[in-house]
Amino acid sequence: MRKNGSREITFSQYRTTDLFLFAVIVALAELLAFAATVWFPDEAIFSFSFMLPLVLIIMMRWGWPSVFYSIESAIIYCALHSLTCEFYLSYVVGNAAIVLTLIYLLPVGKERVSKSWYLSVVMVITGWALQVFVRSGMMVATGLSNFVTALAYLCGITSDSGLLSLVMGVIAVLVVRKFDGLFEDQKAYLIRIGKMREEKRRVDTFGEQLEEIDEENLSILNQDNDDLY
């Protein structure tokens, strides 16, 4: 317990809570996207998914556990649309392929990506391309599509993982990276925040204001000494 009555939580508790909240957000995103096509079927000419930016945000925050959220999104999507087992396999494997974006993050580094808008865009494009290529390949492998249909799917002509989803993913990531700590490795973020609080505590205790007062008093003291001679 802290002196002011607030409770401190462990890093494990923080991570568990954060991952749980994102699981809820991913589920709500899929439900709202489906509801939009049901409530406004005539107006829903274009469809897109926020699964990609959400998974990439989780990937930046926690790394490999993001794969579970891409699978969660695929399962909810297929269940809501009453798709067959072949579609389940295609969507689950295709979505899970986004986790390979970690290969991009290894040499570049999360910190550089979070601070650079163009490296963030490259990350979104990489995740989108992996998803589309693998999902399209799975659709061909499971007999759901021929080459022409798979190519149309790959180009985003007939799928919700098309260019519109890519554009929305880029926009979403560029927006969230403006919020401090949201598009950032959480261990590094908590360490940074801890250091900032420690520096602030030192300033409050021995800080600049006290130094300024000492300099002013010293100046007055010197003047008084001059008057004595």
Side-chain angles (χ1 to χ4, degrees):
M1 294 287 291
R2 292 181 176 177
K3 291 182 179 180
N4 60 5
S6 62
R7 297 188 62 182
E8 292 182 341
I9 63 173
T10 65
F11 178 75
S12 178
Q13 290 172 327
Y14 173 80
R15 179 176 57 192
T16 300
T17 302
D18 194 70
L19 290 173
F20 173 76
L21 290 175
F22 271 102
V24 175
I25 292 172
V26 169
L28 288 176
E30 289 296 337
L31 290 172
L32 289 175
F34 176 75
T37 61
V38 174
W39 293 338
F40 310 103
D42 296 331
E43 288 78 6
I45 302 175
F46 302 102
S47 64
F48 58 88
S49 173
F50 278 110
M51 181 275 300
L52 177 62
L54 285 173
V55 171
L56 294 180
I57 291 171
I58 300 167
M59 185 180 296
M60 283 292 291
R61 294 171 73 87
W62 301 112
W64 68 267
S66 57
V67 67
F68 297 115
Y69 297 84
S70 60
I71 294 173
E72 174 195 3
S73 175
I75 292 174
I76 294 175
Y77 178 88
C78 292
L80 290 174
H81 291 82
S82 302
L83 299 180
T84 62
C85 294
E86 290 81 5
F87 278 101
Y88 270 91
L89 183 61
S90 299
Y91 273 75
V92 167
V93 176
N95 282 14
I98 298 175
V99 77
L100 296 176
T101 309
L102 287 170
I103 298 175
Y104 164 74
L105 291 177
L106 285 176
V108 179
K110 289 184 178 181
E111 184 176 1
R112 286 184 61 196
V113 172
S114 64
K115 293 181 177 179
S116 171
W117 69 267
Y118 63 87
L119 290 179
S120 298
V121 171
V122 172
M123 181 181 178
V124 178
I125 295 174
T126 301
W128 175 82
L130 286 167
Q131 172 200 7
V132 172
F133 270 99
V134 175
R135 189 189 291 181
S136 299
M138 288 301 301
M139 292 182 71
V140 174
T142 55
L144 291 173
S145 170
N146 55 37
F147 177 76
V148 175
T149 305
L151 183 62
Y153 186 93
L154 176 65
C155 295
I157 298 174
T158 60
S159 74
D160 63 350
S161 297
L163 295 178
L164 183 58
S165 289
L166 172 61
V167 172
M168 296 304 297
V170 169
I171 293 174
V173 166
L174 291 179
V175 170
V176 299
R177 61 181 296 274
K178 295 294 184 180
F179 295 90
D180 186 39
L182 185 54
F183 194 64
E184 184 178 352
D185 181 87
Q186 289 304 283
K187 192 170 185 178
Y189 169 70
L190 293 175
I191 292 174
R192 177 168 63 84
I193 292 298
K195 290 181 179 178
M196 291 174 59
R197 289 177 178 173
E198 183 62 28
E199 291 176 0
K200 184 177 184 302
R201 188 179 298 112
R202 290 176 182 175
V203 170
D204 291 341
T205 306
F206 310 102
E208 299 173 353
Q209 184 177 1
L210 186 59
E211 294 176 0
E212 291 176 358
I213 294 175
D214 289 341
E215 291 175 359
E216 182 179 355
N217 291 337
L218 181 61
S219 176
I220 294 173
L221 181 60
N222 289 335
Q223 292 177 4
D224 291 340
N225 288 338
D226 292 338
D227 292 340
L228 293 174
Y229 295 97

